[in-house]
Every structure is written in structure tokens, then in C-alpha cells.
Amino acid sequence: MSADERSREKRGRDEPEAQEALDDETIREAVEQSSRGVPAAGAVVRDRFSADEIFHRIVAAADDEITTGIRELFFSALAAGFAITLTFMLYASLTDGTGGAPIVGALLYPLGFVYIIIGDYQLFTENTLPPVALVLERLASVPALLTVWTIVLFGNLLGGALGAYVLANTGVFSPSVMSTAVGIAEQGVETAWWSLFFKGAFAGLLVAGVVWLDYASQDTTARLVLVYVAFLAIPVGNLYHGVVSATEVLFLAFRGELALATGAIDFALPVLLGNTIGGVLLVTVVNYFQAVEREYQEQNYVLTFRELCFGRFARGDYSPPPRDD
């Protein structure tokens, strides 16, 4: 067989495989773009999204989130709150096992967040970005946003309370780890209110930034590395996360070490406010104004100012994005 014949034969074998790969890619793009026009790949560089494309993906995801039923939203948030218990448990256990080495003790801190974000559970601080994007686009009202936040936060706190009770009362912690866990939680309670607020704001920046970058990622490995590194920065930077802090308060309350109201006002509240304001103002608003294309506003009815502020009480609570027929 001549070299030309062998080359033609090889091309003949390769062409079906190449066509199959092309068909798979075409189907993948069609699936992601068919319902809401969400880009499957970057328009200029295929493996990199522009700010407009990232924002478009976030708005599409937020549309699914804000229309999720109360039961599904609550139980997803409950699972996330209980998963946060893993963060506190592993942080205390590893800190005790390494003699209090700060960086080594924090190595497993991000595990609970990995479960939550990769598993697509609902965490309150994660929700500072997608639903706010809908409000900024005037596709959802402020009352609709607050409803989502309330359900998710309640579910997170209840899940964290269940986990905190188990850690405080069932012998999961050895005596030495229990002492370390109490010390970690008390360190936060002893921090000044405004210091907690600003530490929470920087943590909120990290969390909401993770959400933004998560929608810029196209594979699970990149998301895993991103989530791990970003949430490792919270204990290393001596920052605080609202749901973790609330779990620590509940843990101390179940141990009889702290009055629940005192811990909630002096520790959990400033961290939660900082997380929320940091996530919304430092990331959501900034990223919104750098995404200059407004495909959803141009293609769909948007809420009036009255509807935006008062939701269903002003005859409009949510304006769904257009769908391709």
C-alpha cells in the first residue's frame, strides 16, 4: 500500500471520530443555549468567558433559583447548614491534632464549602450574588429577593443547629478536641463588634467572588481548586463566615458556655451583616456595572420601580426571561 493510500485510509478512520466530537460539541452548545441563550463557551476565546457572558450565565441560574419551590429551597439550605458543621468539626480536630498550628489546622476548613458549592446546595452567603443580579436587572423584586434569603438563611441556621447539637452532646469530639473547639468559638465571641463586621465583609467578598468565578469555570476540577483555595483564605486570613459563626454560637450555647442571645448579637450578627454587604456591594454591584450588555433588559419586560420595591403588592413580583421556541 502506498503512502497516499495509507494517508487516505487514516483520514477515513479519523473523520467519523472528528464528526462525532463536533456533533457532541454542537449538542452541548444547543442544550445550554436553547432555553435561555446561556453561552456554552466564550465568544472570542472559547475556554474563557467575558464579563457579559458570565453575568448572563448567573442571571439564567438565578432565574431557576428564584422560581424554586419553598420546600426544595428549604431542604437544600438545611443540607448546606448541616454540611457547614464539617468545616467547624474538621477545623477544630485538625487544629487540636497539630498542636494549634494555624495554617495546618485550616487545611480541611474548606471541605464543607466544597460539598455545598460543588453539590449545588443553597448557602446564604452564596446567594448574595445570583438573586441580586435579577433585582439589578429588574427581573425580580426586592421582596422576592428577601423571601429567598429568609428561607435559605433559616434552613442554614437550622441545619447548623442540628450539627452543633450533635458535636456538643454526642461524644463526636474527644475531650481535648472539645476544648479546642470551645476555644475557637470563644475567640470569635471575644472579638470587637466592628472588627467582626469588617472581617465578615472581606469574607463576603471572597464568597461572592467564588460564585462569580464559579460561573466562569467550565470543568469540575477548576471549580474544586477555586473553592478550596478561596475558602482556605478565610481561616488563614482570620476572617469569619456568617453561617459558620452562627454554628459556633449554637455550639457554645448547647455546651452551656454562652447565652444564645449574646452570641447572636455580639458575634453572628456582625459577621452575617459584613458577609452580606461585602458580597453585594464589593462584588455583585461592581461586576454588574462592568457587564455592559443587557440582553435580558432589552428582550424582556422589566419590573416598574413600584413593582421592584413592593413585588406582588404592586401587581408584579417576577419577570421571567424570554425562552427560545
Side-chain angles (χ1 to χ4, degrees):
M1 183 182 293
S2 67
D4 289 342
E5 291 174 338
R6 287 195 298 270
S7 177
R8 284 195 298 271
E9 183 180 350
K10 184 177 185 301
R11 284 199 301 271
R13 290 194 304 267
D14 291 345
E15 283 177 1
E17 296 178 1
Q19 184 62 42
E20 183 179 352
L22 181 61
D23 291 343
D24 289 344
E25 184 67 17
T26 303
I27 291 172
R28 175 175 175 270
E29 292 190 10
V31 168
E32 291 203 22
Q33 295 189 20
S34 60
S35 62
R36 294 182 180 82
V38 181
V44 180
V45 181
R46 289 189 57 79
D47 63 347
R48 182 176 179 181
F49 294 109
S50 68
D52 299 319
E53 290 167 335
I54 297 170
F55 191 81
H56 196 178
R57 288 164 66 90
I58 288 173
V59 169
D63 169 63
D64 286 332
E65 183 176 299
I66 208 161
T67 55
T68 300
I70 293 176
R71 183 183 63 181
E72 292 86 350
L73 201 62
F74 169 75
F75 280 103
S76 180
L78 183 72
F82 195 82
I84 281 294
T85 308
L86 291 174
T87 286
F88 180 51
M89 179 187 72
L90 293 171
Y91 187 32
S93 299
L94 200 56
T95 298
D96 180 75
T98 57
I103 295 179
V104 179
L107 287 178
L108 294 180
Y109 181 93
L111 187 60
F113 295 99
V114 170
Y115 281 168
I116 291 167
I117 294 179
I118 302 299
D120 202 25
Y121 296 132
Q122 295 293 330
L123 188 66
F124 175 75
T125 46
E126 183 187 354
N127 278 277
T128 56
L129 185 61
V132 174
L134 283 183
V135 173
L136 292 172
E137 284 287 87
R138 293 176 66 175
L139 297 175
S141 67
V142 173
L145 168 68
L146 296 178
T147 299
V148 171
W149 278 5
T150 300
I151 295 169
V152 170
L153 182 59
F154 179 70
N156 288 166
L157 294 178
L158 184 57
L162 293 173
Y165 180 83
V166 171
L167 293 180
N169 295 286
T170 60
V172 173
F173 284 154
S174 66
S176 63
V177 176
M178 182 69 75
S179 177
T180 301
V182 170
I184 290 172
E186 287 180 340
Q187 182 180 356
V189 175
E190 293 167 358
T191 304
W193 202 96
W194 282 107
S195 295
L196 289 170
F197 173 81
F198 287 110
K199 287 174 181 287
F202 276 100
L205 168 64
L206 281 170
V207 174
V210 166
V211 177
W212 178 269
L213 295 177
D214 182 36
Y215 284 98
S217 303
Q218 292 180 296
D219 62 85
T220 302
T221 302
R223 296 173 67 204
L224 178 62
V225 173
L226 168 69
V227 172
Y228 179 83
V229 173
F231 283 100
L232 181 63
I234 291 180
V236 172
N238 195 26
L239 305 177
Y240 292 96
H241 183 274
V243 181
V244 178
S245 298
T247 301
E248 293 175 3
V249 167
L250 291 163
F251 172 76
L252 290 177
F254 288 134
R255 290 288 301 171
E257 305 279 348
L258 179 70
L260 182 59
T262 300
I265 295 172
D266 293 344
F267 183 23
L269 179 61
V271 174
L272 194 62
L273 289 175
N275 287 170
T276 304
I277 293 173
V280 172
L281 294 183
L282 299 182
V283 174
T284 305
V285 174
V286 171
N287 287 334
Y288 171 80
F289 284 111
Q290 72 164 323
V292 293
E293 292 185 9
R294 295 288 177 264
E295 296 183 22
Y296 276 61
Q297 277 190 348
E298 293 169 0
Q299 298 174 9
N300 199 58
Y301 169 77
V302 295
L303 302 179
T304 66
F305 182 76
R306 179 185 173 92
E307 291 169 339
L308 182 69
C309 295
F310 299 104
R312 67 190 65 181
F313 300 105
R315 299 188 305 277
D317 195 49
Y318 169 66
S319 176
R323 298 176 183 271
D324 296 337
D325 296 327

